[in-house]
Amino acid sequence: MKAMPTVGYAYAPLYLIAVRQSLKYLNTIFKYFNTTFKYLNTTFKYLNTTFKYLNTTFKYLNTTFKYLNTTFKYLNTTFKYLNTTFKYFNTTFKYLNTTFKYLNTTFKYFNRAVLVLTLK
């Protein structure tokens, strides 16, 4: 190793000042990194909470749509029963109509028979 010239020792305090300034800048840079990572940590905590709330919201929505699906199934069944009921009503009224037609015909023949019997 070469020996340092004696003139170089005069610059040693400048090198020390430069090294100290560099260390100060490095310290500042690491402080900014630390602050940045703290903010990132907080951001990810908020994101985590947000996704938890979203997950809960979608669970509730899923449950709501299941209940709606069940409700519409029951409504569909109800309307099928109503449709069947109205078909039976329709058939009943057709039979009643036919019954009244036969009664009308029967009374016509009865009236004719009474008329024939009264004329004799």
Side-chain angles (χ1 to χ4, degrees):
M1 193 180 230
K2 282 184 170 183
M4 224 179 202
T6 54
V7 179
Y9 286 113
Y11 295 107
L14 292 177
Y15 290 128
L16 289 174
I17 291 172
V19 167
R20 194 170 54 146
Q21 277 302 114
S22 297
L23 290 175
K24 280 184 180 178
Y25 286 136
L26 277 174
N27 190 25
T28 304
I29 288 170
F30 286 127
K31 282 182 182 175
Y32 285 139
F33 272 129
N34 190 21
T35 305
T36 301
F37 286 124
K38 282 181 183 175
Y39 286 142
L40 276 174
N41 190 22
T42 305
T43 301
F44 285 125
K45 283 180 182 175
Y46 285 142
L47 277 174
N48 190 21
T49 305
T50 301
F51 286 125
K52 283 180 182 175
Y53 286 143
L54 277 174
N55 190 22
T56 304
T57 301
F58 286 125
K59 282 180 182 175
Y60 287 145
L61 277 174
N62 190 22
T63 305
T64 301
F65 286 126
K66 283 180 181 175
Y67 287 146
L68 277 174
N69 190 21
T70 305
T71 301
F72 286 126
K73 283 180 181 176
Y74 287 148
L75 276 173
N76 190 20
T77 305
T78 302
F79 286 126
K80 282 180 181 176
Y81 287 145
L82 276 173
N83 190 20
T84 305
T85 302
F86 287 127
K87 282 180 181 176
Y88 287 143
F89 270 130
N90 191 19
T91 305
T92 301
F93 286 123
K94 282 180 182 175
Y95 286 142
L96 277 173
N97 190 20
T98 304
T99 301
F100 285 126
K101 282 181 182 176
Y102 286 141
L103 275 174
N104 191 20
T105 304
T106 301
F107 284 127
K108 280 182 185 175
Y109 287 131
F110 180 76
N111 282 338
R112 285 184 191 163
V114 168
L115 185 64
V116 167
L117 286 175
T118 54
L119 290 176
K120 282 188 178 184

Tab-separated table of all heavy atoms in Angstrom, residues 34-63:
chain	number	residue	atom	x	y	z
A	34	ASN	N	-38.946	5.008	4.970
A	34	ASN	CA	-39.706	4.559	6.126
A	34	ASN	C	-41.113	5.158	6.113
A	34	ASN	O	-42.111	4.458	6.305
A	34	ASN	CB	-38.959	4.945	7.410
A	34	ASN	CG	-39.565	4.293	8.627
A	34	ASN	OD1	-40.259	3.299	8.526
A	34	ASN	ND2	-39.308	4.873	9.791
A	35	THR	N	-41.196	6.459	5.870
A	35	THR	CA	-42.500	7.126	5.817
A	35	THR	C	-43.342	6.561	4.678
A	35	THR	O	-44.545	6.312	4.837
A	35	THR	CB	-42.305	8.647	5.631
A	35	THR	OG1	-41.464	9.127	6.675
A	35	THR	CG2	-43.637	9.376	5.677
A	36	THR	N	-42.703	6.348	3.537
A	36	THR	CA	-43.427	5.796	2.386
A	36	THR	C	-43.989	4.424	2.717
A	36	THR	O	-45.156	4.127	2.419
A	36	THR	CB	-42.480	5.697	1.168
A	36	THR	OG1	-41.981	6.991	0.858
A	36	THR	CG2	-43.206	5.138	-0.033
A	37	PHE	N	-43.194	3.568	3.346
A	37	PHE	CA	-43.676	2.239	3.684
A	37	PHE	C	-44.752	2.286	4.765
A	37	PHE	O	-45.664	1.450	4.769
A	37	PHE	CB	-42.508	1.329	4.090
A	37	PHE	CG	-41.679	0.895	2.921
A	37	PHE	CD1	-40.312	1.138	2.892
A	37	PHE	CD2	-42.264	0.273	1.828
A	37	PHE	CE1	-39.548	0.751	1.802
A	37	PHE	CE2	-41.500	-0.123	0.743
A	37	PHE	CZ	-40.137	0.119	0.723
A	38	LYS	N	-44.666	3.275	5.667
A	38	LYS	CA	-45.748	3.434	6.648
A	38	LYS	C	-47.055	3.779	5.936
A	38	LYS	O	-48.118	3.231	6.245
A	38	LYS	CB	-45.397	4.523	7.660
A	38	LYS	CG	-44.425	4.086	8.720
A	38	LYS	CD	-44.152	5.218	9.702
A	38	LYS	CE	-43.118	4.802	10.740
A	38	LYS	NZ	-42.754	5.916	11.622
A	39	TYR	N	-46.973	4.727	4.968
A	39	TYR	CA	-48.173	5.093	4.211
A	39	TYR	C	-48.680	3.909	3.383
A	39	TYR	O	-49.892	3.683	3.273
A	39	TYR	CB	-47.910	6.291	3.310
A	39	TYR	CG	-47.825	7.603	4.055
A	39	TYR	CD1	-46.910	8.573	3.672
A	39	TYR	CD2	-48.654	7.876	5.127
A	39	TYR	CE1	-46.821	9.780	4.359
A	39	TYR	CE2	-48.578	9.083	5.810
A	39	TYR	CZ	-47.662	10.025	5.424
A	39	TYR	OH	-47.583	11.204	6.098
A	40	LEU	N	-47.765	3.147	2.801
A	40	LEU	CA	-48.186	1.966	2.042
A	40	LEU	C	-48.868	0.957	2.965
A	40	LEU	O	-49.889	0.355	2.592
A	40	LEU	CB	-46.977	1.307	1.362
A	40	LEU	CG	-46.562	1.900	0.028
A	40	LEU	CD1	-45.262	1.250	-0.449
A	40	LEU	CD2	-47.638	1.710	-1.013
A	41	ASN	N	-48.306	0.775	4.150
A	41	ASN	CA	-48.909	-0.143	5.113
A	41	ASN	C	-50.322	0.312	5.468
A	41	ASN	O	-51.265	-0.488	5.473
A	41	ASN	CB	-48.032	-0.215	6.368
A	41	ASN	CG	-48.467	-1.306	7.296
A	41	ASN	OD1	-49.125	-2.251	6.892
A	41	ASN	ND2	-48.124	-1.170	8.561
A	42	THR	N	-50.476	1.611	5.743
A	42	THR	CA	-51.806	2.145	6.066
A	42	THR	C	-52.754	1.970	4.877
A	42	THR	O	-53.917	1.588	5.044
A	42	THR	CB	-51.692	3.629	6.447
A	42	THR	OG1	-50.757	3.759	7.508
A	42	THR	CG2	-53.035	4.190	6.875
A	43	THR	N	-52.244	2.235	3.669
A	43	THR	CA	-53.067	2.083	2.468
A	43	THR	C	-53.547	0.642	2.323
A	43	THR	O	-54.728	0.394	2.042
A	43	THR	CB	-52.270	2.501	1.223
A	43	THR	OG1	-51.853	3.857	1.374
A	43	THR	CG2	-53.104	2.359	-0.033
A	44	PHE	N	-52.655	-0.308	2.529
A	44	PHE	CA	-53.051	-1.711	2.403
A	44	PHE	C	-54.003	-2.130	3.512
A	44	PHE	O	-54.885	-2.967	3.291
A	44	PHE	CB	-51.818	-2.618	2.356
A	44	PHE	CG	-51.100	-2.555	1.033
A	44	PHE	CD1	-49.749	-2.251	0.977
A	44	PHE	CD2	-51.773	-2.793	-0.151
A	44	PHE	CE1	-49.086	-2.181	-0.244
A	44	PHE	CE2	-51.126	-2.733	-1.368
A	44	PHE	CZ	-49.773	-2.428	-1.417
A	45	LYS	N	-53.855	-1.531	4.698
A	45	LYS	CA	-54.823	-1.815	5.766
A	45	LYS	C	-56.217	-1.335	5.355
A	45	LYS	O	-57.215	-2.036	5.536
A	45	LYS	CB	-54.406	-1.138	7.072
A	45	LYS	CG	-53.289	-1.848	7.798
A	45	LYS	CD	-52.936	-1.122	9.095
A	45	LYS	CE	-51.791	-1.808	9.810
A	45	LYS	NZ	-51.364	-1.066	11.006
A	46	TYR	N	-56.279	-0.106	4.781
A	46	TYR	CA	-57.572	0.411	4.328
A	46	TYR	C	-58.125	-0.426	3.176
A	46	TYR	O	-59.333	-0.690	3.119
A	46	TYR	CB	-57.453	1.874	3.909
A	46	TYR	CG	-57.332	2.829	5.071
A	46	TYR	CD1	-56.497	3.934	5.002
A	46	TYR	CD2	-58.044	2.640	6.241
A	46	TYR	CE1	-56.376	4.817	6.070
A	46	TYR	CE2	-57.934	3.515	7.313
A	46	TYR	CZ	-57.100	4.594	7.219
A	46	TYR	OH	-56.989	5.456	8.273
A	47	LEU	N	-57.247	-0.838	2.275
A	47	LEU	CA	-57.706	-1.703	1.181
A	47	LEU	C	-58.243	-3.020	1.727
A	47	LEU	O	-59.274	-3.524	1.259
A	47	LEU	CB	-56.564	-1.978	0.204
A	47	LEU	CG	-56.312	-0.920	-0.858
A	47	LEU	CD1	-55.056	-1.263	-1.650
A	47	LEU	CD2	-57.493	-0.800	-1.793
A	48	ASN	N	-57.543	-3.568	2.702
A	48	ASN	CA	-58.000	-4.816	3.311
A	48	ASN	C	-59.382	-4.638	3.928
A	48	ASN	O	-60.283	-5.457	3.726
A	48	ASN	CB	-56.987	-5.275	4.370
A	48	ASN	CG	-57.271	-6.659	4.867
A	48	ASN	OD1	-57.935	-7.435	4.208
A	48	ASN	ND2	-56.778	-6.963	6.047
A	49	THR	N	-59.559	-3.542	4.679
A	49	THR	CA	-60.868	-3.266	5.287
A	49	THR	C	-61.931	-3.073	4.209
A	49	THR	O	-63.050	-3.586	4.331
A	49	THR	CB	-60.772	-2.009	6.168
A	49	THR	OG1	-59.727	-2.192	7.118
A	49	THR	CG2	-62.079	-1.744	6.887
A	50	THR	N	-61.567	-2.357	3.155
A	50	THR	CA	-62.514	-2.130	2.057
A	50	THR	C	-62.943	-3.451	1.434
A	50	THR	O	-64.134	-3.677	1.192
A	50	THR	CB	-61.877	-1.224	0.986
A	50	THR	OG1	-61.511	0.012	1.581
A	50	THR	CG2	-62.834	-0.983	-0.158
A	51	PHE	N	-61.981	-4.342	1.195
A	51	PHE	CA	-62.332	-5.629	0.591
A	51	PHE	C	-63.133	-6.498	1.548
A	51	PHE	O	-64.008	-7.262	1.115
A	51	PHE	CB	-61.077	-6.357	0.101
A	51	PHE	CG	-60.513	-5.755	-1.157
A	51	PHE	CD1	-59.194	-5.348	-1.211
A	51	PHE	CD2	-61.306	-5.582	-2.277
A	51	PHE	CE1	-58.676	-4.781	-2.363
A	51	PHE	CE2	-60.796	-5.020	-3.434
A	51	PHE	CZ	-59.477	-4.614	-3.473
A	52	LYS	N	-62.892	-6.368	2.848
A	52	LYS	CA	-63.720	-7.095	3.809
A	52	LYS	C	-65.167	-6.615	3.730
A	52	LYS	O	-66.111	-7.419	3.735
A	52	LYS	CB	-63.184	-6.911	5.230
A	52	LYS	CG	-61.970	-7.741	5.546
A	52	LYS	CD	-61.503	-7.504	6.977
A	52	LYS	CE	-60.252	-8.302	7.286
A	52	LYS	NZ	-59.722	-8.005	8.633
A	53	TYR	N	-65.343	-5.267	3.671
A	53	TYR	CA	-66.700	-4.731	3.560
A	53	TYR	C	-67.346	-5.138	2.240
A	53	TYR	O	-68.538	-5.457	2.188
A	53	TYR	CB	-66.695	-3.206	3.702
A	53	TYR	CG	-66.469	-2.731	5.114
A	53	TYR	CD1	-65.721	-1.596	5.375
A	53	TYR	CD2	-67.006	-3.405	6.192
A	53	TYR	CE1	-65.508	-1.149	6.674
A	53	TYR	CE2	-66.805	-2.980	7.501
A	53	TYR	CZ	-66.057	-1.848	7.731
A	53	TYR	OH	-65.858	-1.415	9.008
A	54	LEU	N	-66.561	-5.121	1.169
A	54	LEU	CA	-67.109	-5.563	-0.121
A	54	LEU	C	-67.519	-7.031	-0.060
A	54	LEU	O	-68.572	-7.415	-0.594
A	54	LEU	CB	-66.071	-5.361	-1.236
A	54	LEU	CG	-66.003	-3.971	-1.836
A	54	LEU	CD1	-64.834	-3.882	-2.807
A	54	LEU	CD2	-67.286	-3.615	-2.551
A	55	ASN	N	-66.683	-7.832	0.575
A	55	ASN	CA	-67.011	-9.248	0.707
A	55	ASN	C	-68.315	-9.430	1.472
A	55	ASN	O	-69.193	-10.195	1.061
A	55	ASN	CB	-65.851	-9.969	1.420
A	55	ASN	CG	-66.008	-11.462	1.385
A	55	ASN	OD1	-66.692	-12.004	0.543
A	55	ASN	ND2	-65.386	-12.128	2.328
A	56	THR	N	-68.453	-8.695	2.578
A	56	THR	CA	-69.688	-8.770	3.364
A	56	THR	C	-70.883	-8.298	2.537
A	56	THR	O	-71.951	-8.913	2.563
A	56	THR	CB	-69.548	-7.916	4.642
A	56	THR	OG1	-68.392	-8.355	5.361
A	56	THR	CG2	-70.776	-8.040	5.512
A	57	THR	N	-70.683	-7.217	1.793
A	57	THR	CA	-71.765	-6.692	0.951
A	57	THR	C	-72.200	-7.729	-0.077
A	57	THR	O	-73.398	-7.959	-0.279
A	57	THR	CB	-71.296	-5.402	0.236
A	57	THR	OG1	-70.916	-4.434	1.210
A	57	THR	CG2	-72.392	-4.844	-0.647
A	58	PHE	N	-71.229	-8.376	-0.722
A	58	PHE	CA	-71.588	-9.377	-1.730
A	58	PHE	C	-72.234	-10.605	-1.094
A	58	PHE	O	-73.110	-11.226	-1.707
A	58	PHE	CB	-70.371	-9.762	-2.563
A	58	PHE	CG	-69.980	-8.697	-3.550
A	58	PHE	CD1	-68.700	-8.195	-3.564
A	58	PHE	CD2	-70.898	-8.192	-4.450
A	58	PHE	CE1	-68.337	-7.199	-4.460
A	58	PHE	CE2	-70.554	-7.200	-5.351
A	58	PHE	CZ	-69.267	-6.703	-5.357
A	59	LYS	N	-71.844	-10.937	0.142
A	59	LYS	CA	-72.517	-12.038	0.830
A	59	LYS	C	-73.984	-11.688	1.068
A	59	LYS	O	-74.883	-12.508	0.854
A	59	LYS	CB	-71.827	-12.342	2.161
A	59	LYS	CG	-70.557	-13.127	2.024
A	59	LYS	CD	-69.929	-13.393	3.388
A	59	LYS	CE	-68.623	-14.154	3.255
A	59	LYS	NZ	-67.949	-14.315	4.564
A	60	TYR	N	-74.225	-10.430	1.537
A	60	TYR	CA	-75.606	-10.008	1.756
A	60	TYR	C	-76.387	-9.961	0.444
A	60	TYR	O	-77.556	-10.342	0.399
A	60	TYR	CB	-75.655	-8.649	2.458
A	60	TYR	CG	-75.279	-8.703	3.914
A	60	TYR	CD1	-74.595	-7.663	4.513
A	60	TYR	CD2	-75.611	-9.788	4.702
A	60	TYR	CE1	-74.242	-7.710	5.863
A	60	TYR	CE2	-75.270	-9.847	6.050
A	60	TYR	CZ	-74.586	-8.804	6.616
A	60	TYR	OH	-74.249	-8.852	7.939
A	61	LEU	N	-75.732	-9.478	-0.605
A	61	LEU	CA	-76.410	-9.461	-1.908
A	61	LEU	C	-76.740	-10.877	-2.368
A	61	LEU	O	-77.822	-11.129	-2.910
A	61	LEU	CB	-75.526	-8.768	-2.953
A	61	LEU	CG	-75.579	-7.254	-2.979
A	61	LEU	CD1	-74.539	-6.708	-3.950
A	61	LEU	CD2	-76.953	-6.764	-3.378
A	62	ASN	N	-75.793	-11.779	-2.161
A	62	ASN	CA	-76.033	-13.171	-2.545
A	62	ASN	C	-77.231	-13.732	-1.786
A	62	ASN	O	-78.115	-14.367	-2.379
A	62	ASN	CB	-74.767	-14.000	-2.265
A	62	ASN	CG	-74.855	-15.380	-2.848
A	62	ASN	OD1	-75.617	-15.639	-3.763
A	62	ASN	ND2	-74.074	-16.282	-2.306
A	63	THR	N	-77.281	-13.478	-0.476
A	63	THR	CA	-78.409	-13.945	0.332
A	63	THR	C	-79.711	-13.301	-0.142
A	63	THR	O	-80.743	-13.975	-0.258
A	63	THR	CB	-78.161	-13.618	1.816
A	63	THR	OG1	-76.913	-14.187	2.208
A	63	THR	CG2	-79.272	-14.167	2.686
